[in-house]
Amino acid sequence: MQSDNGVSIRFSDEFEQEFYRLSKRFRNIRSDVESIIEQLQQGNFVGDAYGGLRLRIAGIGE
């Protein structure tokens, strides 16, 4: 996904597989993820910054 401000969001194959599996169990997960994607596209990067580095979620179940 590409937004107007140049933010590009790509999902790993592992994320897509896990997301599909979890979407069967958690019905609201799609809207939750869409909300996060919208924030990222607006330039609101989610996470904690430590010393100029931003931490991110590496994967589900790690």
Side-chain angles (χ1 to χ4, degrees):
M1 293 180 191
Q2 181 87 20
S3 70
D4 294 337
N5 64 0
V7 175
S8 177
I9 299 171
R10 297 182 311 176
F11 301 115
S12 68
D13 292 337
E14 180 183 359
F15 176 86
E16 288 182 353
Q17 291 169 356
E18 228 15 61
F19 182 75
Y20 176 75
R21 187 182 69 78
L22 289 171
S23 68
K24 294 178 180 179
R25 186 170 170 197
F26 301 102
R27 296 180 185 257
N28 293 331
I29 196 170
R30 290 188 189 276
S31 63
D32 293 343
V33 170
E34 285 177 10
S35 163
I36 293 170
I37 291 170
E38 288 173 5
Q39 288 181 34
L40 292 171
Q41 288 176 332
Q42 293 173 4
N44 300 325
F45 297 102
V46 180
D48 295 325
Y50 292 100
L53 300 174
R54 184 167 296 277
L55 303 178
R56 65 181 176 85
I57 299 173
I60 298 172
E62 290 187 14

